[in-house]
Amino acid sequence: MTAEILYGADDLTHLEGLEAVRKRPGMYIGSTDSRGVNHLFTEIVDNSTDEGVAGHAARVVVTLHADGSVQVDDDGRGIPTGVHAKSGLSGIELVLTRLHAGGKFGGSGYKTSGGLHGVGASAVNALSHRFDVVVRREGKTHEMSFAHGVPGVFDGPGPKAAFTRESGLRVTGRTRKSGTSIRYWHDARYFENGAALDVEAVRAKLRNTAFLVPGVTYVLKTPEGEETFHYPGGLSDMVDFLAPSGDKPVSGTILVTGEGVYHENAADENGVMRSKVERHAEVEIALRWGTGYERTVECFTNTIRNMHGGTHRRGYERAVLKAVQEAIGRTRGLLKPKEDPPTLEDVLEGMTAVVHVRVPEPQFTSQTKDELSTAGITRVVLGIVEKHIKAWTEDRRTKGEAKIVLQKVVDASRVRLTQKQQKDAARRKTALEGAAMPPKLVDCRTTGVLRSELFLVEGDSALGCFTGDTMVAVAPGLAMSFADLAEDWQRGVNHYGYTTNQDGRVHVVPLIEPRLTKRDAPLVRVALDNGEQVRCTPDHLFRLRDGSYRRADALVPGDSLMPLYRAFPDGGERVWLNDRAVWVPTRRLDPRAEPEDAPDGHGHPGRRPAVERLPRAVRDDRRIDTDRSGASSPDHGSPVVDEPAAPVNHSVVSVEPLAETADVYDLTVDGYHNFALEAGVFVHNSARMARVSEYQALLPLRGKILNVQKASLADTLRNVEIASIVQVLGAGTGRTFDLSSMRYGRVILMADADVDGSHIRTLLITLFAKYMRPVIEDGRLYAAMPPLHKVVTKGRNGETRFTFTQREMEQTVARLEKAGKTVVKPVPRFKGLGEMDAEELWDTTMNPATRSVRRITLLDVEAAEAALELLMGEKVEPRRAWLVESANRVDQSAIDV
């Protein structure tokens, strides 16, 4: 038999007065370690500060006595001493013995204050052995003492003196001064062993408050000496103090001040809850940027430090981020076209800021006031700060300073992205990556998974392939083999080479990612009339002199190729600009070169001299060497020329298929679509040139992959192209497919806009639907929509339109001609992706802002599986019957033939 456990009304406990504080002190002071002891001091000194904010106190003195007691004196109005009508207690006794009592709940006592809950001083009283208060008010000196919150009289000094309970306020003298003096001895029994007041925290509290209330002087007295804190400059002085040592300012200190209105639900003086009560807030902020990397943003509400920020900090950060981003967007030359705007992390780098708001009846997440929770203040701060920062960036007096800050923010963004890319690259490595990736994969450099894109590209002609001993023209005046360039790249050494834009003008650009792309590739040999020979894959494109491109195996004798002329007079290299027919020193084209400060031909310092023309002469070699005296080398014929003679060094002599195979290489030139070989010609690299190498990867596919709907799993995985796709994605197949392990955020199928291209897309979609279906279900599989035609109009303001069907092309041409424009005819038709130049391929297929892609979805699984089986399965008869039945639904006029 067991005793019955009873639970009734007698088991309920009602804690009266200050008993609750003593029972659960952590609920009122935050903790019972040293932080709680420090919070006792904070509650008392904040009451004196409120007097200073209200304009009634000019001096606050804090004394740390040798016996461990703390004394706070101010010259404010003093705590009210009259009798409170409702409670019958004096104002002092009411404030110090009753929770939620004080002069900060409305009325005219304070416009704003740090105290809200009305438990601060009374909580200190409850947790103190002895609590003495002296009030000088209305010409009299009033005194009162408490022991653990109980009023009475001590018959001697210190907390151990005999105590007699006695209610009431004692008048001990007359005075002409006013103010309040409080001295307390905290009771260590309510705190953890070793908990003590942190003198450094006291010093920091007084210093911070002196910054926030520049009209009040704070004095700290300790047994070791006396310190005074007074800062007439206010928040400007605080920013200078908080800025890291050695951090040189990039901007002056920006002061932001203003007032705003917000609304919230609040109780009126009768305790009735009202909605949309209007509140007035004051905002004061100081900030500056420095050369360092640390960020310091301190937040305060009514002089109370909010360690964890809160709604005012959220408003400030949103405003600064928005204003800076917009200013960067308006300033030309800061961000490159494809760069992402800076984030808050970038904007705050090197910033020191102080955010101080004054609001009536602030709301905090706890009694310790570590975080402001007043919702309406966010919008107030946001509006004021955004307006000031925008004005600062546009004011002609501060515009130069602002531009330096904006450049710093952009630089911080680039560094952050580089570091993030390095981390993400390491994170993206999977077990499958442990094995060597397919050589033909052109991976993105270092970026996050979500942003990265993998293009599965039909054919690999766009990826360019040359034997390892093929020499590439390297600036200035050098030549290196593909194999050597690839080796240097792996060692972190980067080289620069030559490229041409649409007009044929030569530029010097970085040669990125030289690497092995294929093994045992078939080759052709292209012989030029200058004696040079180039071995490459048959489908690689060469640039013709008219700017178009042609496959290597389609070149015929006499084809004129876009030339690279290099000359070396006086030991320095010069390059021939094909579009302007002039020589120019290579250093003028090299982005690594420093700007020249020498005067130009008209005596204007700081400008680059005009293009230098050289004497006319006939040349028979694309490179001209001269000795130090300037005379032509006897081995190289005539002097340097102003215009080349007959194009003797860039004509095709023959194209010969080779029986041999070889490992072949490629490289990337961001922003362009060709690069120069040492043989003096430019070769094309379309899809690879058009991509953003940061986050766009390419995997070329040779021909049509296996129809997996008909094949077994073993046959599927033995297929070289499918195995490459599975390996590159790194997430497995079938039931073991793990979407979280996929190395790319999107997969984009990129095939020609013809029947074969449609078939290739269908085969790839079938592969994903059967073996990697989560990619489709998660919306991460897309099909690129490359155009079929390029419609161009003549004239100074010519237009270019891309169309996707024959009918659309005809309608576009008719519409343009009806508008009075002349269309270039015949309208070019793209036979494949390799025929587009980089700009066309980027705009139509790869640029996220302008491209057309279709997301592959799987809304009805059963219907999709039935369609795949019908169209791609082994059984021919059902497919034939479906085609016959569906023939009447075909719009024959829309068929592209």
Side-chain angles (χ1 to χ4, degrees):
M1 184 175 180
T2 58
E4 184 181 359
I5 299 176
L6 301 178
Y7 174 61
D10 292 338
D11 295 297
L12 302 178
T13 302
H14 175 217
L15 301 177
E16 297 183 353
L18 300 180
E19 291 180 62
V21 180
R22 290 189 286 269
K23 186 71 174 178
R24 297 284 188 270
M27 293 177 60
Y28 296 90
I29 61 173
S31 66
T32 54
D33 55 11
S34 294
R35 291 174 296 172
V37 177
N38 291 335
H39 190 74
L40 300 182
F41 158 76
T42 298
E43 291 288 358
I44 300 303
V45 79
D46 282 346
N47 290 333
S48 295
T49 296
D50 288 339
E51 284 289 291
V53 172
H56 302 293
R59 185 178 177 86
V60 176
V61 180
V62 176
T63 305
L64 306 183
H65 293 281
D67 61 358
S69 63
V70 178
Q71 182 174 336
V72 179
D73 300 275
D74 67 61
D75 57 356
R77 293 168 293 181
I79 302 174
T81 56
V83 176
H84 187 256
K86 187 174 180 179
S87 65
L89 301 175
S90 68
I92 294 178
E93 187 172 349
L94 177 67
V95 168
L96 297 178
T97 61
R98 297 291 188 271
L99 295 177
H100 311 295
K104 303 167 185 178
F105 296 96
S108 58
Y110 297 91
K111 182 180 178 182
T112 62
S113 70
L116 169 69
H117 304 96
V119 299
S122 55
V124 179
N125 190 8
L127 300 176
S128 295
H129 273 302
R130 178 171 179 172
F131 190 102
D132 294 341
V133 57
V134 177
V135 175
R136 299 172 183 86
R137 183 182 175 97
E138 298 174 351
K140 298 178 182 179
T141 300
H142 306 265
E143 295 184 8
M144 196 170 188
S145 297
F146 302 85
H148 297 103
V150 178
V153 177
F154 289 88
D155 63 1
K160 297 182 179 180
F163 176 73
T164 303
R165 295 178 64 127
E166 180 181 309
S167 182
L169 189 62
R170 303 187 305 278
V171 178
T172 59
R174 303 190 66 82
T175 181
R176 294 182 179 180
K177 298 180 180 180
S178 65
T180 301
S181 176
I182 291 177
R183 183 177 181 181
Y184 67 90
W185 292 255
H186 76 271
D187 190 342
R189 293 177 298 173
Y190 297 111
F191 299 89
E192 297 176 5
N193 292 334
L197 184 67
D198 185 350
V199 179
E200 193 55 45
V202 171
R203 184 177 288 109
K205 169 66 178 178
L206 296 180
R207 183 187 298 111
N208 287 344
T209 310
F211 284 124
L212 297 168
V213 191
V216 178
T217 299
Y218 289 83
V219 179
L220 174 62
K221 296 181 179 179
T222 64
E224 290 76 26
E226 179 178 313
E227 296 177 68
T228 300
F229 304 96
H230 179 62
Y231 303 99
L235 297 192
S236 294
D237 291 343
M238 191 173 192
V239 165
D240 292 339
F241 175 80
L242 292 174
S245 58
D247 186 9
K248 298 179 180 179
V250 175
S251 69
T253 301
I254 304 169
L255 291 177
V256 179
T257 58
E259 297 182 1
V261 175
Y262 64 96
H263 297 84
E264 64 179 357
N265 297 337
D268 60 16
E269 59 275 9
N270 298 318
V272 178
M273 204 67 179
R274 304 291 184 186
S275 62
K276 295 185 178 180
V277 177
E278 185 176 282
R279 303 292 199 187
H280 293 265
E282 299 176 6
V283 177
E284 183 182 10
I285 297 173
L287 69 147
R288 83 171 197 195
W289 278 272
T291 55
Y293 305 100
E294 297 182 29
R295 60 210 67 183
T296 303
V297 180
E298 292 285 352
C299 297
F300 300 84
T301 303
N302 299 350
T303 74
I304 306 299
R305 181 172 182 246
N306 310 125
M307 185 184 304
H308 301 143
T311 50
H312 48 349
R313 176 163 183 166
R314 283 195 287 275
Y316 168 75
E317 290 179 343
R318 290 177 190 173
V320 172
L321 175 61
K322 182 180 179 182
V324 170
Q325 284 182 338
E326 290 179 351
I328 290 174
R330 292 192 303 267
T331 306
R332 296 181 60 184
L334 287 181
L335 274 183
K336 297 178 181 177
K338 299 174 186 177
E339 281 189 303
D340 291 333
T343 63
L344 179 63
E345 180 183 354
D346 309 319
V347 174
L348 295 183
E349 183 177 293
M351 176 189 286
T352 303
V354 180
V355 180
H356 185 203
V357 298
R358 292 189 174 93
V359 296
E361 301 186 25
Q363 300 174 34
F364 301 101
T365 56
S366 67
Q367 166 61 20
T368 55
K369 308 180 183 75
D370 287 340
E371 183 175 348
L372 179 67
S373 59
T374 302
I377 197 64
T378 300
R379 181 168 296 181
V380 174
V381 174
L382 191 152
I384 294 173
V385 174
E386 184 181 354
K387 178 181 177 181
H388 277 73
I389 297 297
K390 182 179 180 180
W392 174 71
T393 59
E394 295 178 348
D395 192 311
R396 60 180 182 82
R397 295 169 295 181
T398 57
K399 200 169 185 178
E401 173 185 89
K403 189 170 183 180
I404 296 175
V405 171
L406 299 180
Q407 184 63 62
K408 172 182 169 59
V409 172
V410 171
D411 292 343
S413 174
R414 289 169 179 160
V415 171
R416 173 185 55 80
L417 287 174
T418 299
Q419 294 172 343
K420 181 178 183 297
Q421 289 164 1
Q422 293 171 351
K423 292 179 181 178
D424 287 340
R427 190 178 295 122
R428 288 173 55 214
K429 292 186 179 295
T430 64
L432 283 176
E433 269 189 291
M437 286 287 104
K440 61 185 177 180
L441 170 68
V442 185
D443 207 353
C444 48
R445 289 203 291 269
T446 48
T447 188
V449 172
L450 292 179
R451 188 185 179 201
S452 61
E453 300 177 338
L454 173 65
F455 287 83
L456 300 181
V457 185
E458 173 191 353
D460 49 14
S461 62
L463 292 172
C465 304
F466 293 87
T467 57
D469 58 359
T470 302
M471 304 299 288
V472 177
V474 176
L478 303 174
M480 294 181 65
S481 69
F482 268 102
D484 289 341
L485 288 171
E487 182 179 346
D488 276 3
W489 178 264
Q490 292 299 321
R491 294 189 294 109
V493 179
N494 192 15
H495 296 280
Y496 281 64
Y498 305 88
T499 186
T500 53
N501 63 9
Q502 284 183 312
D503 298 326
R505 178 169 299 181
V506 178
H507 294 267
V508 175
V509 291
L511 303 177
I512 298 174
E513 270 189 303
R515 59 181 288 165
L516 177 70
T517 57
K518 299 179 186 177
R519 295 191 181 275
D520 298 324
L523 300 174
V524 298
R525 178 165 49 221
V526 179
L528 306 178
D529 64 354
N530 63 350
E532 299 282 357
Q533 295 183 348
V534 179
R535 292 188 302 159
C536 63
T537 54
D539 49 6
H540 192 77
L541 301 177
F542 283 67
R543 189 170 197 191
L544 302 183
R545 188 62 181 83
D546 61 6
S548 62
Y549 291 88
R550 186 169 297 169
R551 288 168 56 110
D553 57 2
L555 294 172
V556 296
D559 279 346
S560 179
L561 304 179
M562 181 70 73
L564 171 69
Y565 289 98
R566 297 197 287 177
F568 302 87
D570 304 323
E573 185 191 61
R574 301 188 182 194
V575 176
W576 180 262
L577 299 185
N578 297 301
D579 61 324
R580 295 174 58 188
V582 293
W583 291 94
V584 63
T586 302
R587 67 177 182 274
R588 310 278 179 79
L589 309 175
D590 196 331
R592 299 167 295 179
E594 294 292 334
E596 298 180 12
D597 295 325
D600 66 8
H602 301 285
H604 301 294
R607 298 184 183 177
R608 296 186 178 186
V611 175
E612 183 176 346
R613 291 184 174 269
L614 302 176
R616 294 176 178 267
V618 177
R619 285 288 300 130
D620 59 358
D621 193 280
R622 75 179 185 286
R623 296 180 56 165
I624 304 174
D625 293 327
T626 58
D627 60 23
R628 295 185 181 274
S629 65
S632 301
S633 170
D635 296 331
H636 294 283
S638 306
V640 176
V641 299
D642 179 32
E643 62 181 30
V648 296
N649 73 324
H650 51 77
S651 291
V652 176
V653 173
S654 64
V655 179
E656 175 187 0
L658 300 178
E660 62 182 295
T661 61
D663 297 342
V664 290
Y665 291 75
D666 187 23
L667 58 81
T668 295
V669 178
D670 279 344
Y672 294 88
H673 51 280
N674 56 68
F675 59 93
L677 300 179
E678 173 65 5
V681 295
F682 288 89
V683 290
H684 185 265
N685 201 327
S686 174
R688 189 161 182 184
M689 299 307 146
R691 75 185 181 111
V692 179
S693 56
E694 278 187 23
Y695 63 88
Q696 291 181 329
L698 300 176
L699 179 64
L701 303 176
R702 182 185 297 274
K704 298 177 181 179
I705 68 168
L706 185 68
N707 181 357
V708 299
Q709 196 70 21
K710 296 180 179 180
S712 65
L713 177 60
D715 290 339
T716 298
L717 295 180
R718 276 197 295 267
N719 182 270
V720 176
E721 301 304 317
I722 293 177
S724 296
I725 295 172
V726 173
Q727 184 182 13
V728 167
L729 290 180
T733 59
R735 294 181 180 179
T736 63
F737 187 86
D738 181 7
L739 187 65
S740 64
S741 300
M742 198 167 83
R743 299 176 67 244
Y744 301 94
R746 302 183 194 88
V747 179
I748 301 176
L749 312 179
M750 193 169 167
D752 294 340
D754 55 13
V755 175
D756 284 338
S758 297
H759 191 201
I760 291 172
R761 275 193 298 273
T762 304
L763 291 170
L764 289 170
I765 292 172
T766 304
L767 170 66
F768 279 90
K770 188 168 184 178
Y771 292 110
M772 292 177 277
R773 184 171 295 178
V775 179
I776 300 177
E777 293 173 340
D778 200 46
R780 295 166 66 172
L781 181 66
Y782 298 81
M785 302 300 295
L788 198 59
H789 306 91
K790 180 181 179 180
V791 181
V792 180
T793 62
K794 297 180 179 179
R796 294 181 59 185
N797 299 319
E799 298 181 29
T800 300
R801 306 282 181 87
F802 295 98
T803 60
F804 297 85
T805 65
Q806 182 73 19
R807 174 182 291 181
E808 183 184 1
M809 184 271 290
E810 293 172 353
Q811 292 174 344
T812 302
V813 170
R815 187 167 56 253
L816 291 172
E817 290 179 339
K818 186 177 180 180
K821 298 181 180 181
T822 303
V823 177
V824 177
K825 293 183 179 180
V827 174
R829 175 188 171 112
F830 297 113
K831 295 180 180 179
L833 298 171
E835 291 194 2
M836 297 184 192
D837 62 32
E839 288 78 10
E840 293 168 342
L841 193 59
W842 168 251
D843 289 335
T844 63
T845 312
M846 305 190 78
N847 183 358
T850 59
R851 69 189 179 194
S852 296
V853 295
R854 289 179 178 173
R855 174 178 283 169
I856 309 302
T857 58
L858 193 63
L859 301 180
D860 188 333
V861 176
E862 293 184 1
E865 289 181 347
L868 287 174
E869 181 60 32
L870 174 66
L871 300 176
M872 308 298 293
E874 294 183 5
K875 297 181 180 179
V876 178
E877 289 303 323
R879 183 160 50 251
R880 179 182 299 162
W882 179 84
L883 290 172
V884 172
E885 293 172 1
S886 305
N888 294 330
R889 293 187 291 169
V890 176
D891 181 1
Q892 297 185 11
S893 64
I895 297 178
D896 181 24
V897 294

